[in-house]
Amino acid sequence: MDETSPTGGMLYLYWNPEDEIGVFTDASESNVRFRNTTSENAKTVTFAPTSAVSGTPAYAYYPYSAEAGTNMTAIKGHISSAHTLNAELDNVPGVYRYGYYKSTSGNASSFGFKHVFSIVRFHLDVTGTKLAGRQLQDIEITVKRGSKAVPVCGDFTFNAETGAHTIGSNTSNTIKFSFDGQPVLDDEITFYTTLFSNVKKNDVLCFT
């Protein structure tokens, strides 16, 4: 899930052909790997199992991971502390979603997906500063609340039915972004990422 399309203040994320989801069926089949069968980026796509499935999909999550486990109420996830943004700045790192059931036709189920965590928009404008005209290689963001570190990435678990999540012990309050295209800071730059939903008003974000 890479391509972003901001429209009327809304951000749409498109499924891409490489996307995979984990599925739990009504026949007690757990964390079954389903692969996108659509050949282009799209809002609505079809996923098919990569192995034989006897039941009907009941719950789903994105992205699929063999290490996510078989407990649909405590799926294991991880948001990395280092990401690379492509030259177009249209990939959104760290996205996790859980599916909500909509309908069934035969052995096929229709799902909508909601985000487990917030997607954060960063907008950089260095007009009139010493940074104008320089190439942007990377940014490191550290979040604190007073002297206390505020975790924004790391390990967590979440519920595939409700999206409720629990942050683990292996976390970090610092996240780093490398810019593949090394854009020149002569225009405003906008990029997106996923962070734990911990950041509150008056928290201090330090950019280096």
Side-chain angles (χ1 to χ4, degrees):
M1 181 176 294
D2 287 336
E3 184 175 330
T4 64
S5 176
T7 304
M10 300 292 290
L11 176 70
Y12 293 101
L13 296 185
Y14 290 78
W15 299 101
N16 67 44
E18 293 75 32
D19 282 333
E20 296 178 333
I21 60 174
V23 171
F24 297 78
T25 76
D26 60 4
S28 299
E29 295 160 305
S30 300
N31 200 23
V32 181
R33 187 179 187 177
F34 275 56
R35 181 172 294 149
N36 185 4
T37 62
T38 308
S39 61
E40 59 186 17
N41 293 345
K43 289 183 183 179
T44 302
V45 298
T46 299
F47 288 91
T50 59
S51 58
V53 175
S54 60
T56 299
Y59 303 99
Y61 75 93
Y62 169 88
Y64 168 81
S65 169
E67 288 73 43
T70 57
N71 182 357
M72 59 158 284
T73 65
I75 295 172
K76 299 174 185 177
H78 179 82
I79 297 177
S80 175
S81 60
H83 300 281
T84 298
L85 301 178
N86 62 26
E88 293 76 23
L89 300 180
D90 61 3
N91 60 315
V92 182
V95 172
Y96 277 83
R97 305 178 96 184
Y98 65 100
Y100 59 94
Y101 172 83
K102 297 175 72 174
S103 62
T104 297
S105 177
N107 287 331
S109 296
S110 176
F111 287 89
F113 280 81
K114 295 182 179 180
H115 292 279
V116 176
F117 298 109
S118 301
I119 292 180
V120 181
R121 174 180 182 267
F122 288 103
H123 182 76
L124 306 180
D125 183 357
V126 298
T127 303
T129 73
K130 294 181 179 180
L131 294 176
R134 295 187 180 183
Q135 285 187 304
L136 179 59
Q137 297 181 348
D138 53 60
I139 291 178
E140 188 173 271
I141 302 171
T142 300
V143 185
K144 287 188 175 182
R145 185 173 302 140
S147 60
K148 182 180 178 181
V150 178
V152 292
C153 57
D155 293 336
F156 65 95
T157 60
F158 68 100
N159 188 311
E161 181 179 9
T162 66
H165 61 272
T166 301
I167 295 174
S169 56
N170 181 25
T171 61
S172 175
N173 71 320
T174 297
I175 190 166
K176 183 177 180 178
F177 303 94
S178 298
F179 294 81
D180 194 36
Q182 296 191 11
V184 176
L185 293 170
D186 55 2
D187 292 313
E188 298 176 5
I189 292 176
T190 298
F191 65 95
Y192 300 85
T193 191
T194 302
L195 301 177
F196 289 159
S197 304
N198 279 343
V199 183
K200 298 180 179 180
K201 183 179 180 180
N202 296 324
D203 285 349
V204 176
L205 281 70
C206 179
F207 291 75
T208 55

